[in-house]
Amino acid sequence: MNNPQQPIPHNETERLAALRRYNILDTLPEDAFDDATRLVSYICGVPIAHISFIDENRQWFKSEIGIGVSELPREITFCRYTIMESEMLEIPDTHSNEIFKDDPNVTDGFKVRFYAGVPLTTPDGYNIGTICAVDHVTKKLDESQRNALNIVAKHVINQLELRTKNNELNAQKKIAERAVLAKDSFLANMSHEIRTPLNAVIGFTDLLAQTKLDIIQRDYIDSVQIAGENLLLIVNDILDLSKIESGNLAIEDQPFDLKKTLKHIYDLLKVKVPENVEFNLFLDADMPEIVVGDQGRLNQILVNLTGNALKFTQEGDVTVSVKKMEETDEHYLLRFSVKDTGIGIQEAKLKTIFDRFTQAEESTTRRFGGTGLGLNIVKQLVELHNSEIKVKSREGRGSEFFFTLAYKKASDIEIVPESFTGSNLGKLKILLCEDNVLNQKLVKSVIYNFGFELDIAEHGEAGIELLSKNEYDLILMDLQMPVKDGYQTTQYIRDEMKLTIPIIAMTAHSLVGEQELCYNMGMDAYVPKPFKQAALLETIKTVLNKDHKPAPKRKIDFSLIEEMACGNADFTKEMVHLFTEKIPIEIVLLNEAYKTNNSDTVRKLAHNMKSSFDIFLLADLSDCVSVIEEEAKNGSFTVKTREKMSILNCEIIEVVKVLKEL
C-alpha cells in the first residue's frame, strides 16, 4: 500500500475520468443498487453494507445500510485503501491492524471491528469505487461469501455499463421512439382502413360460396376466394412491417391439397398472361397430392414470383414447375421453379435483388409498377421454411427463381369440407360490439348461419347498456370504435361490472403485440379480420369450453438470482418475498401518479421498478416501465403509455401470483 495518510492510485487522473463517464455521482437511489447492498448484508451477515464511489475529495454512497449519511471525506475512509488493490481487502480484526487500530471509526464513530471491501473495477481496469461489508465484531468470510461478494461487484459494474449505454443512446432512442410511434399509428390506421372493406369482400364471398351455384359460378367464386386470401396475405405483410422486422411471421402446419393449390395459382394468374406469352404449369408425375405445411405462404411465394415473371415477360414463355427431389418416411423435398424469357436482371444487381425497396432498374417502378417489397417478403418466407431462394438470370434472356421446401407427409389425413354448423353448442345469444355497418351485416349473416342469436351495439357504451339489461353467452368485441373502444369496454366489463363472460376480440388492427394486449386487458381469444367462418366457430367453441385458459401461466427465470445466491436457498426466498411485498405497493402508487398526471413521480417509480424486474429477468415488464419512464421524462402521456400501464397492471398480478405459489 502507498502512504497510509493519503494513498493515491498511480492512475488517479484516468481513474477519475473513468468514474465521471458513468454519470453516477449524486444520482437518486435505484433498486438495482439497493438490492445489491441488501444482498451483501445478507450474505455476510453484517449490519453495515454499502456501494460507494470515490472522487477527488469524498466517498459518496450510492446505496447503504447502517451508515445514515450520503458521503464522507475521502481522507477518513477505509475504502481509500481498497481502491489501491486488485482484489478484496479483508480485515478480520481492525484492533490488530497497524493501519486501522487507531482510526476514529474504529475507536469511536462507526466502531468498525471487521471490514471487507471489493474494488469496483471498470472493464478497462480502473477502480472507481467499492462494495463493502462492515461489522462491530471480529469476523472472517468463508470462500463462498468471498465469491458471492465478487459476483455482486461484477453485477454492479454491469449495471453501470448498461446504464451508461442507455444514456448514450437516449437521444437516438427518443428520435427512434417518435418514429416508431408515427409508423405504428400509420400502420394501425391503414391496416384498419384496408382490412375493413377486405373483411366484407372475403366474408360475403364465403357466404356466397355456401349457396347453390352452377359449375362456372363455383369456379369464379373459387378464384375470387383465392384472390382475396392472397390479397389478405400481402396486405398483412406489407402493412404489418413491424411483424416482418421482428421476425414474428409464423409458418403453420396444416394438411392441404398441393396439386389443387398449384392449379388454383395457375388459374388465378393466367388472366394476366400477355398475348405473346405461353404460360405453363409442369408438375412432377411423382409429386404428392396431400402434404402438411403452410398453404397460404406457398400461395404468397408463388403468386409473387409468377406475377413478377408475367409482368417482366413480353414474349416467349413463363413456366412454373414443381419436382420431387427426395422422399423419406416422414417428408417430401420439393423443388419449385419459376422461369421466364423476360427482360432478365443485370449481373451486378443479382446480389441486391432481394433487398427491401430494391428493383433491378430504377426505371422499373415507373415502367412496371410495384412496391419493391415482393422479393424481400418472398426471401423471408422461404427462409422461414429453413430454405434459401436462388436466382439465375441473364439480361435480355430471362430469369429463373428456384427454391426447395420440405413438407411433412399427410398419412391417414383427409381434408374435409368446412362445416359451419353450430348446433352442438345450443341456441347461443351473442353480443356484437362493432361500428362498421358492412361488418355488422357480415357477422350477422355468419352468426345466423351458425344458428345463434345476435344483438348489435355500435360502440362500447351501447354494448355495456345492452349487457346490463340482457343475458349473453359471449361477446364479439371490435377494438376500434367511437365513444368507448374495445379495450375500455372490456376493462369496464371486467373491473366495474365484475363479469366473466367470454370476450373474443375481432379487429382489423394486426400489429405485433396486439393479441397479447387483448389477453392482458381481459379478453379470452382473438380473431383477426378478415376472419374465416370455421376459425370463428372454433374460437367460439374454445372460449365456451370450461377448461379453456386464455393465456399460459408465466414462467419466472431465477438464473440471475441463483447465480447471486451461490446455492443459498434462503436468499432466493428472501428476494422473492421482497419483490412480492414491494412491487404491488409500487404499482398502486404508479397508477395514482399516472391518473393525476404526476410525471415526476411516475418517472421515479418506473425507474425504480425496472431494476426489480431486471433481477427476475422480466424483460417484457422492464420494457413497459422503460417506455413509461421515457414518456414521463417527456412530460406527456400518450396512448402508448396507457397500453403499457394496462399490460403492467395485468402482468404484475400474474407474476406476484406465480411467485407466491412458488
Side-chain angles (χ1 to χ4, degrees):
M1 293 183 190
N2 289 6
N3 176 9
Q5 297 302 315
Q6 186 62 13
I8 301 292
H10 69 89
N11 56 2
E12 178 71 355
T13 302
E14 294 84 356
R15 188 192 73 81
L16 291 171
L19 171 60
R20 291 191 184 96
R21 278 200 301 272
Y22 288 107
N23 291 316
I24 190 69
L25 295 173
D26 300 308
T27 55
L28 293 171
E30 297 175 48
D31 279 357
F33 297 97
D34 290 344
D35 290 342
T37 302
R38 284 193 286 268
L39 182 58
V40 169
S41 173
Y42 181 84
I43 290 170
C44 299
V46 296
I48 300 173
H50 65 74
I51 295 169
S52 64
F53 299 95
I54 299 175
D55 64 12
E56 298 94 329
N57 305 311
R58 60 178 176 156
Q59 176 181 20
W60 177 78
F61 298 103
K62 175 63 178 173
S63 176
E64 55 83 17
I65 292 174
I67 294 177
V69 297
S70 62
E71 60 183 63
L72 290 172
R74 177 172 172 173
E75 61 268 17
I76 67 168
T77 64
F78 281 42
C79 294
R80 71 188 190 274
Y81 294 99
T82 305
I83 62 171
M84 304 292 297
E85 305 295 326
S86 59
E87 53 190 31
M88 180 186 296
L89 172 62
E90 183 178 0
I91 305 169
D93 184 0
T94 56
H95 289 182
S96 303
N97 186 284
E98 288 300 318
I99 294 175
F100 295 107
K101 66 181 182 180
D102 297 322
D103 190 285
N105 278 317
V106 173
T107 59
D108 197 10
F110 294 112
K111 297 189 180 298
V112 178
R113 193 71 188 268
F114 164 78
Y115 171 89
V118 179
L120 296 175
T121 307
T122 66
D124 44 1
Y126 298 108
N127 293 344
I128 60 173
T130 60
I131 186 164
C132 299
V134 178
D135 208 338
H136 306 304
V137 297
T138 59
K139 190 183 291 288
K140 189 171 181 63
L141 300 180
D142 60 32
E143 192 62 27
S144 65
Q145 289 172 316
R146 292 191 189 95
N147 287 338
L149 273 181
N150 284 312
I151 289 171
V152 175
K154 289 177 183 175
H155 174 69
V156 170
I157 287 294
N158 288 339
Q159 275 296 123
L160 288 173
E161 285 288 310
L162 182 61
R163 201 173 173 280
T164 302
K165 287 171 183 173
N166 286 341
N167 287 337
E168 289 171 354
L169 291 170
N170 193 43
Q172 291 87 340
K173 182 182 174 185
K174 285 181 181 178
I175 295 170
E177 283 181 348
R178 289 191 190 104
V180 167
L181 185 60
K183 184 198 77 172
D184 283 351
S185 297
F186 171 77
L187 288 176
N189 290 330
M190 286 301 295
S191 174
H192 189 272
E193 293 306 314
I194 292 175
R195 286 166 183 269
T196 297
L198 188 56
N199 179 47
V201 171
I202 292 177
F204 284 118
T205 304
D206 284 347
L207 289 173
L208 187 58
Q210 294 169 45
T211 63
K212 188 175 182 180
L213 303 170
D214 61 32
I215 295 174
I216 296 176
Q217 290 171 329
R218 174 66 60 187
D219 185 48
Y220 289 164
I221 287 295
D222 286 346
S223 295
V224 172
Q225 284 181 307
I226 299 229
E229 287 165 6
N230 287 333
L231 175 60
L232 176 59
L233 284 170
I234 294 167
V235 167
N236 284 345
D237 289 336
I238 293 175
L239 289 180
D240 202 358
L241 288 173
S242 57
K243 185 184 290 184
I244 297 174
E245 289 164 359
S246 63
N248 284 330
L249 286 171
I251 297 299
E252 295 182 354
D253 274 342
Q254 296 292 335
F256 69 96
D257 190 322
L258 179 59
K259 288 186 177 179
K260 185 177 178 182
T261 297
L262 295 168
K263 183 66 166 56
H264 273 313
I265 294 171
Y266 176 78
D267 290 340
L268 180 68
L269 293 174
K270 68 182 178 183
V271 296
K272 295 184 177 181
V273 178
E275 188 177 345
N276 298 324
V277 174
E278 184 179 346
F279 184 30
N280 303 304
L281 174 63
F282 293 149
L283 303 181
D284 194 338
D286 248 1
M287 195 184 77
E289 282 199 21
I290 309 297
V291 296
V292 176
D294 197 322
Q295 178 186 14
R297 297 305 177 188
L298 178 62
N299 274 347
Q300 192 173 355
I301 293 168
L302 291 180
V303 165
N304 216 315
L305 292 177
T306 311
N308 275 354
L310 291 170
K311 181 165 66 173
F312 297 127
T313 304
Q314 301 304 309
E315 58 180 5
D317 57 79
V318 171
T319 301
V320 179
S321 59
V322 184
K323 183 179 181 182
K324 186 176 78 173
M325 304 296 290
E326 294 177 15
E327 180 179 353
T328 68
D329 291 340
E330 296 180 348
H331 291 86
Y332 299 106
L333 183 66
L334 306 176
R335 183 184 188 273
F336 296 84
S337 165
V338 178
K339 191 172 184 179
D340 65 68
T341 58
I343 61 175
I345 304 167
Q346 293 178 16
E347 187 174 351
K349 298 285 186 179
L350 288 175
K351 292 182 180 178
T352 61
I353 195 66
F354 292 106
D355 292 349
R356 189 175 294 176
F357 306 117
T358 299
Q359 294 191 335
E361 294 287 348
E362 290 181 5
S363 62
T364 298
T365 301
R366 293 193 300 273
R367 183 178 172 192
F368 296 101
T371 63
L373 281 172
L375 288 179
N376 178 261
I377 293 171
V378 165
K379 176 176 180 287
Q380 293 190 67
L381 291 177
V382 172
E383 288 174 352
L384 280 172
H385 285 83
N386 298 315
S387 187
E388 180 184 5
I389 186 166
K390 298 180 181 179
V391 57
K392 294 189 294 188
S393 185
R394 288 182 63 185
E395 192 174 6
R397 301 287 295 273
S399 308
E400 181 185 13
F401 289 82
F402 57 96
F403 56 93
T404 59
L405 295 182
Y407 284 113
K408 296 176 186 175
K409 287 188 172 181
S411 55
D412 301 324
I413 296 177
E414 291 183 2
I415 299 179
V416 296
E418 291 181 336
S419 174
F420 304 121
T421 176
S423 57
N424 60 333
L425 294 175
K427 195 76 171 176
L428 297 181
K429 189 169 183 180
I430 296 173
L431 172 61
L432 170 67
C433 295
E434 167 68 68
D435 63 315
N436 184 277
V437 177
L438 270 178
N439 285 338
Q440 289 176 2
K441 187 175 180 182
L442 172 62
V443 174
K444 187 175 181 180
S445 297
V446 170
I447 294 300
Y448 285 177
N449 271 4
F450 293 162
F452 307 148
E453 294 180 22
L454 185 74
D455 284 348
I456 298 173
E458 294 184 349
H459 50 72
E461 198 71 63
I464 289 169
E465 188 176 344
L466 285 172
L467 194 57
S468 65
K469 296 176 181 177
N470 305 306
E471 292 286 334
Y472 295 99
D473 295 293
L474 67 92
I475 302 172
L476 301 177
M477 183 75 71
D478 185 34
L479 296 186
Q480 190 175 36
M481 296 182 292
V483 186
K484 236 184 182 57
D485 65 25
Y487 294 123
Q488 295 167 325
T489 307
T490 299
Q491 198 165 28
Y492 187 88
I493 292 168
R494 295 296 188 232
D495 297 345
E496 302 298 327
M497 301 180 77
K498 306 295 183 185
L499 297 179
T500 58
I501 181 173
I503 301 175
I504 299 173
M506 296 181 67
T507 176
H509 278 183
S510 185
L511 297 177
V512 174
E514 183 99 55
Q515 186 169 351
E516 290 75 12
L517 182 57
C518 289
Y519 287 139
N520 290 328
M521 295 299 288
M523 300 181 202
D524 298 87
Y526 176 96
V527 176
K529 298 175 186 173
F531 62 86
K532 299 296 289 182
Q533 294 180 58
L536 176 59
L537 182 58
E538 188 59 37
T539 305
I540 290 172
K541 289 179 179 178
T542 301
V543 299
L544 291 175
N545 184 341
K546 292 181 180 178
D547 297 327
H548 168 64
K549 294 179 180 178
K553 183 176 284 189
R554 177 186 282 272
K555 293 182 180 178
I556 308 293
D557 187 344
F558 286 94
S559 57
L560 179 58
I561 291 177
E562 286 171 353
E563 182 184 343
M564 291 179 175
C566 299
N568 188 335
D570 289 337
F571 167 73
T572 302
K573 289 180 183 177
E574 177 68 18
M575 293 300 288
V576 169
H577 176 72
L578 286 171
F579 184 96
T580 56
E581 289 295 310
K582 183 183 73 168
I583 289 297
I585 295 170
E586 290 186 347
I587 191 64
V588 170
L589 296 174
L590 183 67
N591 277 302
E592 289 175 356
Y594 171 66
K595 287 175 183 175
T596 57
N597 207 32
N598 188 338
S599 56
D600 190 49
T601 303
V602 169
R603 177 183 61 79
K604 290 176 183 176
L605 285 166
H607 186 83
N608 288 337
M609 291 172 78
K610 185 177 187 303
S611 56
S612 299
F613 295 146
D614 288 339
I615 289 174
F616 283 86
L617 300 178
L618 299 166
D620 58 332
L621 301 189
S622 182
D623 173 67
C624 282
V625 290
S626 293
V627 171
I628 293 167
E629 180 188 3
E630 198 59 40
E631 298 259 286
K633 282 181 183 176
N634 295 334
S636 62
F637 299 126
T638 67
V639 174
K640 196 172 184 181
T641 320
R642 188 184 75 192
E643 290 179 357
K644 297 299 181 183
M645 286 291 296
S646 297
I647 293 172
L648 203 58
N649 279 304
C650 293
E651 291 301 309
I652 282 177
I653 293 171
E654 179 68 14
V655 169
V656 171
K657 182 181 177 184
V658 171
L659 285 174
K660 284 185 174 179
E661 286 176 358
L662 291 172

